[in-house]
Each structure stands twice: as structure tokens, then as C-alpha cells.
Amino acid sequence: MIGDHFGPALSEFLRRYPRVTVEFLVANRVVDLVAENVDIAMRTGRLPDSSLVACKIIDLNQIVCASPEYLARHGRPMILSDLAKHRCLTLNSMPEPATWLFKKNSRPVSVEVGGAVSADSSDVLVRLAIEGVGIVRLGELAVAKALIGGTLVPLLQDVQVQEGYPLWALLPPGRQRSPKVKVFLEFLAETLGRAPWRARLATAKER
């Protein structure tokens, strides 16, 4: 949920650049940036080959988590093989959504998971996880607010893959030379590139 972290900072951007107007489009479909005259699109994960200009904003972690309610009813997975006994919620817009990757003893490990629900929206999966439907694995931007608030609890942190899930700003060719696009990219790097939510996550863990 990029908006949880980006939205509150947008007022500062508009204060700095009052002549720039911003129009958001939230879509679970592939948007043709050129045909729809979009300046910047935010996407995560591996990118397909294209003529678009890709600017990496940050490498994100993917976090496995569940609600306290779910864990009270079904128990906490302590090792990777425990995931096979649990209901897992998968993001079907990802390649191989039912294969979750981890790192154990510095070696990559893949785990096949299953469950009753998959969706193409991380927002939907976060809401279902908070409601106790199952365990979810999503990028930290999507789950940070829920983790900070305690409505989701991180799991299997010792085998989590660190920073293997990039967040990109995609632009049509030549659009990066536009002054308004340049300042917006700088703003994205300032707002999201420093991962300010990680400090709040660390504070939440200490409570």
C-alpha cells in the first residue's frame, strides 16, 4: 500500500511545487503509459522487457505475517515446512505465486504453499490477513502499517530474504527530461527511498 507512506508526504511536495498538479490512477491491470499519457507508474518486482525507462526507488523486503487471531486459532509456523499446514494467501499477479522464496544458511529455499484465497490485489490480501483468513507474504510497503499497528505479526524472520523485491518508477521514453517528472522522481527517492517506515517497525518491535 504505497499510499500509506506516500500520501501523507504529498502535501509537502505540493507545498514545494504548487504549480504541479497530481492525478492518481490505482489499477490492478497493466496500464499503457504511452497510450494513456501517464508520466510515472509505480511497480514492484521483476519487470518484463520493454521500452520504458525504469528507475529503481528502493529494494524492499518481503515479509511473511498473519494476524494474532489467526495464530491463536492455528498456531505459529516455527520452521518453513510448517507453512504446508497453514492457509496461505497468495498474490496471483506475481510469477509462481504459490512458491515462496526464503534464505536458510545463506542458501535459497523455495516452499510451496496453498490456501483457499488468491487475489491480484495486495490491499485485498492484507485485509483478509488482518481478518484472520490466513498467512500472507507481501512487500514491506503493503504490510508495514498493519505491522506497526499490531494487526499483523511478522513470522519466520530468520529465513526472510532481505531486499530482493525492488520498487520501480516507470516512465515513457523521454519523459524523464520533463522538469515536473524530475522533481517528482527526486521526491519519490526522498519519501520512499529512505524507507522511513523501517524505523517505526523497529520501534514497534521494541514495545
Side-chain angles (χ1 to χ4, degrees):
M1 299 179 187
I2 293 175
D4 288 340
H5 313 278
F6 174 67
L10 187 58
S11 59
E12 172 60 21
F13 175 81
L14 295 173
R15 186 192 65 77
R16 295 184 202 174
Y17 307 101
R19 298 180 64 183
V20 176
T21 58
V22 178
E23 180 179 350
F24 283 102
L25 171 65
V26 180
N28 288 326
R29 61 181 174 83
V30 177
V31 176
D32 187 326
L33 304 191
V34 176
E36 299 186 42
N37 196 31
V38 174
D39 289 319
I40 298 175
M42 306 298 295
R43 292 181 187 159
T44 52
R46 289 183 296 176
L47 297 176
D49 292 336
S50 76
S51 62
L52 298 174
V53 177
C55 303
K56 185 187 288 188
I57 303 300
I58 186 173
D59 268 319
L60 300 170
N61 300 324
Q62 286 192 292
I63 299 176
V64 178
C65 49
S67 70
E69 176 194 357
Y70 176 90
L71 297 175
R73 285 189 286 113
H74 300 283
R76 176 188 289 260
M78 303 303 295
I79 58 176
L80 289 177
S81 59
D82 288 345
L83 288 173
K85 308 169 189 174
H86 285 269
R87 301 173 183 172
C88 295
L89 311 173
T90 55
L91 186 64
N92 57 29
S93 59
M94 294 279 292
E96 301 182 271
T99 302
W100 290 2
L101 299 178
F102 299 90
K103 185 168 284 188
K104 187 175 181 179
N105 299 325
S106 301
R107 299 179 63 181
V109 178
S110 63
V111 177
E112 296 299 316
V113 300
V117 179
S118 74
D120 65 354
S121 166
S122 59
D123 290 2
V124 169
L125 294 182
V126 169
R127 286 196 293 270
L128 290 172
I130 290 171
E131 291 168 7
V133 175
I135 295 175
V136 73
R137 179 177 184 264
L138 291 170
E140 59 189 297
L141 273 177
V143 297
K145 183 178 180 180
L147 292 171
I148 291 166
T151 53
L152 291 178
V153 177
L155 306 169
L156 300 167
Q157 296 180 81
D158 59 326
V159 289
Q160 176 180 284
V161 175
Q162 299 292 324
E163 299 186 338
Y165 190 60
L167 172 68
W168 304 92
L170 295 184
L171 300 79
R175 201 68 61 96
Q176 71 272 24
R177 292 190 287 272
S178 165
K180 67 179 181 180
V181 170
K182 283 183 179 180
V183 296
F184 198 74
L185 287 173
E186 291 170 0
F187 174 72
L188 288 174
E190 176 185 334
T191 306
L192 301 179
R194 295 181 294 104
W197 59 88
R198 289 179 183 167
R200 295 180 63 197
L201 277 171
T203 301
K205 290 177 185 177
E206 293 170 0
R207 291 201 296 264

